[in-house]
PDB file of all heavy atoms in Angstrom:
ATOM      1  N   LEU A 154      -1.611   1.168  15.327  1.00 92.00           N
ATOM      2  CA  LEU A 154      -0.224   0.753  15.139  1.00 92.00           C
ATOM      3  C   LEU A 154       0.596   0.885  16.422  1.00 92.00           C
ATOM      4  O   LEU A 154       1.599   0.202  16.604  1.00 92.00           O
ATOM      5  CB  LEU A 154       0.415   1.620  14.052  1.00 92.00           C
ATOM      6  CG  LEU A 154       0.759   0.998  12.698  1.00 92.00           C
ATOM      7  CD1 LEU A 154      -0.099  -0.188  12.342  1.00 92.00           C
ATOM      8  CD2 LEU A 154       0.735   2.049  11.602  1.00 92.00           C
ATOM      9  N   ILE A 155       0.183   1.780  17.280  1.00 92.00           N
ATOM     10  CA  ILE A 155       0.927   1.996  18.517  1.00 92.00           C
ATOM     11  C   ILE A 155       0.242   1.332  19.721  1.00 92.00           C
ATOM     12  O   ILE A 155       0.889   0.709  20.544  1.00 92.00           O
ATOM     13  CB  ILE A 155       1.104   3.511  18.776  1.00 92.00           C
ATOM     14  CG1 ILE A 155       1.984   4.115  17.672  1.00 92.00           C
ATOM     15  CG2 ILE A 155       1.727   3.756  20.148  1.00 92.00           C
ATOM     16  CD1 ILE A 155       2.033   5.625  17.670  1.00 92.00           C
ATOM     17  N   ARG A 156      -1.067   1.447  19.792  1.00 90.00           N
ATOM     18  CA  ARG A 156      -1.796   0.930  20.963  1.00 90.00           C
ATOM     19  C   ARG A 156      -2.209  -0.522  20.849  1.00 90.00           C
ATOM     20  O   ARG A 156      -2.627  -1.128  21.828  1.00 90.00           O
ATOM     21  CB  ARG A 156      -3.087   1.716  21.185  1.00 90.00           C
ATOM     22  CG  ARG A 156      -2.957   3.187  21.117  1.00 90.00           C
ATOM     23  CD  ARG A 156      -2.453   3.701  22.419  1.00 90.00           C
ATOM     24  NE  ARG A 156      -1.761   4.949  22.174  1.00 90.00           N
ATOM     25  CZ  ARG A 156      -1.491   5.835  23.100  1.00 90.00           C
ATOM     26  NH1 ARG A 156      -1.834   5.608  24.342  1.00 90.00           N
ATOM     27  NH2 ARG A 156      -0.859   6.931  22.805  1.00 90.00           N
ATOM     28  N   GLY A 157      -2.212  -1.017  19.662  1.00 89.00           N
ATOM     29  CA  GLY A 157      -2.789  -2.347  19.499  1.00 89.00           C
ATOM     30  C   GLY A 157      -4.288  -2.211  19.302  1.00 89.00           C
ATOM     31  O   GLY A 157      -4.776  -1.152  18.907  1.00 89.00           O
ATOM     32  N   ARG A 158      -5.011  -3.268  19.613  1.00 89.00           N
ATOM     33  CA  ARG A 158      -6.451  -3.249  19.363  1.00 89.00           C
ATOM     34  C   ARG A 158      -7.227  -2.505  20.444  1.00 89.00           C
ATOM     35  O   ARG A 158      -7.061  -2.739  21.628  1.00 89.00           O
ATOM     36  CB  ARG A 158      -6.963  -4.689  19.246  1.00 89.00           C
ATOM     37  CG  ARG A 158      -8.463  -4.787  19.132  1.00 89.00           C
ATOM     38  CD  ARG A 158      -8.902  -6.130  18.599  1.00 89.00           C
ATOM     39  NE  ARG A 158      -8.473  -6.318  17.212  1.00 89.00           N
ATOM     40  CZ  ARG A 158      -8.994  -7.260  16.416  1.00 89.00           C
ATOM     41  NH1 ARG A 158      -9.928  -8.086  16.867  1.00 89.00           N
ATOM     42  NH2 ARG A 158      -8.570  -7.369  15.186  1.00 89.00           N
ATOM     43  N   ILE A 159      -8.074  -1.601  19.986  1.00 90.00           N
ATOM     44  CA  ILE A 159      -8.955  -0.863  20.896  1.00 90.00           C
ATOM     45  C   ILE A 159     -10.385  -1.116  20.428  1.00 90.00           C
ATOM     46  O   ILE A 159     -10.697  -0.957  19.249  1.00 90.00           O
ATOM     47  CB  ILE A 159      -8.679   0.657  20.842  1.00 90.00           C
ATOM     48  CG1 ILE A 159      -7.234   0.958  21.241  1.00 90.00           C
ATOM     49  CG2 ILE A 159      -9.650   1.400  21.758  1.00 90.00           C
ATOM     50  CD1 ILE A 159      -6.805   2.394  20.970  1.00 90.00           C
ATOM     51  N   VAL A 160     -11.232  -1.521  21.336  1.00 89.00           N
ATOM     52  CA  VAL A 160     -12.620  -1.804  20.978  1.00 89.00           C
ATOM     53  C   VAL A 160     -13.553  -0.877  21.745  1.00 89.00           C
ATOM     54  O   VAL A 160     -13.449  -0.770  22.968  1.00 89.00           O
ATOM     55  CB  VAL A 160     -12.979  -3.269  21.306  1.00 89.00           C
ATOM     56  CG1 VAL A 160     -14.427  -3.571  20.905  1.00 89.00           C
ATOM     57  CG2 VAL A 160     -12.019  -4.217  20.597  1.00 89.00           C
ATOM     58  N   ILE A 161     -14.425  -0.206  21.026  1.00 90.00           N
ATOM     59  CA  ILE A 161     -15.381   0.691  21.676  1.00 90.00           C
ATOM     60  C   ILE A 161     -16.799   0.319  21.240  1.00 90.00           C
ATOM     61  O   ILE A 161     -17.079   0.188  20.045  1.00 90.00           O
ATOM     62  CB  ILE A 161     -15.127   2.171  21.321  1.00 90.00           C
ATOM     63  CG1 ILE A 161     -13.842   2.648  21.996  1.00 90.00           C
ATOM     64  CG2 ILE A 161     -16.248   3.054  21.830  1.00 90.00           C
ATOM     65  CD1 ILE A 161     -12.697   2.779  21.072  1.00 90.00           C
ATOM     66  N   GLY A 162     -17.677   0.143  22.194  1.00 89.00           N
ATOM     67  CA  GLY A 162     -19.060  -0.197  21.879  1.00 89.00           C
ATOM     68  C   GLY A 162     -19.795   1.004  21.300  1.00 89.00           C
ATOM     69  O   GLY A 162     -19.601   2.133  21.758  1.00 89.00           O
TER      70      GLY A 162
END
Side-chain angles (χ1 to χ4, degrees):
Chain A
L154 250 26
I155 295 170
R156 313 278 154 162
R158 174 162 294 196
I159 300 169
V160 181
I161 289 105

